[in-house]
Amino acid sequence: AQRVTQPEKLLSVFKGAPVELKCNYSYSGSPELFWYVQYSRQRLQLLLRHISRESIKGFTADLNKGETSFHLKKPFAQEEDSAMYYCALRRSDKVIFGPGTSLSVIP
Amino acid sequence: GAGVSQTPSNKVTEKGKYVELRCDPISGHTALYWYRQSLGQGPEFLIYFQGTGAADDSGLPNDRFFAVRPEGSVSTLKIQRTERGDSAVYLCASSREAGGLGTEAFFGQGTRLTVV
C-alpha cells in the first residue's frame, strides 16, 4: 500500500539552527512527492515538489529512492518557518498526505 | 483572483442530522478534491471530481457520505445521519487539471464540522 510517514509530530529548533523534517514513503512505482505547509490560521499550501528541484523560502528536499525518503531541509531556521508541514505523495490522480510535523522555531 | 472558497467555515450539528458542505473552486479548474482532516492527522482523501463526474470516490468512508458537482464547478459534500466521529475539518482543493506531473492543488480554508 502507498503511504507516507513523518516520524516526528513535533520539532523545536532555535532560530538560526539547521532544520530537517523527515519523510518516508512506500510506493510501487515512480513517486511524485511534495511538501505542503500550513501557517497559523492560513490554508494549506504547496511549498515545493521534487520534480522542480527548487528551493523555496530556503527549503530544499531531495528524493532518495534508495532510502524511500524525501526529507525537508533548511540550513538556518527563521521564526516565520514555524508551521505544520505535510509530506505528500501523488498516487494516480490523488495526493496522499502524511500525518504532519509541527515545527516550532524558538527565538 | 479568488481562491477556493468553502462555506460554512464552521458547522455544529446534532448527531443524526443531515449536513451539506459547499466548495467553490477556482474558476476554470476542472479537478476538485475533498479531504477530511481529523485532529492531529494529515488530510485524508475522500473523493475527486474531474469535471462533473466523480473519478475516484474510494476514500468515502461509508454510504452516509456523498458528493456532487452537477455543473462541473461548485461541489457539495453531503453527510447523512451524522455521527460524532464525523467531526473534523473538511478541506476542498481544486487544480487546473487532474494528474499531470507538477499539477498544483489549491486548498480552501476548510469547514470545521462538529457533531454533538
Side-chain angles (χ1 to χ4, degrees), chain A residues 9 86 99, chain B residues 36-42 87-89 112:
Chain A
K9 289 187 81 71
Y86 297 96
Chain B
R36 177 171 69 174
Q37 187 171 22
S38 301
L39 195 62
Q41 297 182 25
S87 297
V89 175
R112 182 177 297 280

Side-chain angles (χ1 to χ4, degrees), chain A residues 32 43 49 86 90 94-95, chain B residues 4 35 37 56 102-103 107:
Chain A
E32 185 182 359
R43 58 190 67 190
R49 64 197 86 181
Y86 297 96
R90 180 187 296 282
K94 63 193 179 209
V95 177
Chain B
V4 177
Y35 286 82
Q37 187 171 22
D56 184 342
T103 302
F107 280 82

Side-chain angles (χ1 to χ4, degrees), chain B residues 37-76:
Chain B
Q37 187 171 22
S38 301
L39 195 62
Q41 297 182 25
E44 173 195 12
F45 171 80
L46 295 177
I47 185 171
Y48 129 70
F49 288 88
Q50 177 58 40
T52 60
D56 184 342
D57 63 357
S58 62
L60 295 177
N62 51 59
D63 61 7
R64 294 187 298 105
F65 288 74
F66 190 70
V68 295
R69 194 186 185 199
E71 298 177 359
S73 179
V74 171
S75 175
T76 304

Side-chain angles (χ1 to χ4, degrees), chain A residues 17 23 34 39-40 44-45 49-50 57 64-65 72 88-89 107:
Chain A
C23 171
F34 308 82
Y39 301 102
S40 179
L44 194 60
Q45 59 186 283
R49 64 197 86 181
H50 91 270
K57 299 184 180 183
N64 185 322
K65 291 185 179 180
L72 183 68
L89 165 72

Side-chain angles (χ1 to χ4, degrees), chain A residues 50-90:
Chain A
H50 91 270
I51 60 166
S52 302
R53 302 188 64 82
E54 57 202 344
S55 173
I56 302 293
K57 299 184 180 183
F59 284 98
T60 59
D62 290 319
L63 178 61
N64 185 322
K65 291 185 179 180
E67 295 182 357
T68 60
S69 69
F70 188 56
H71 303 327
L72 183 68
K73 300 178 184 180
K74 183 170 182 176
F76 308 103
Q78 302 299 314
E79 290 178 64
E80 56 265 29
D81 296 329
S82 295
M84 279 295 298
Y85 291 81
Y86 297 96
C87 184
L89 165 72
R90 180 187 296 282

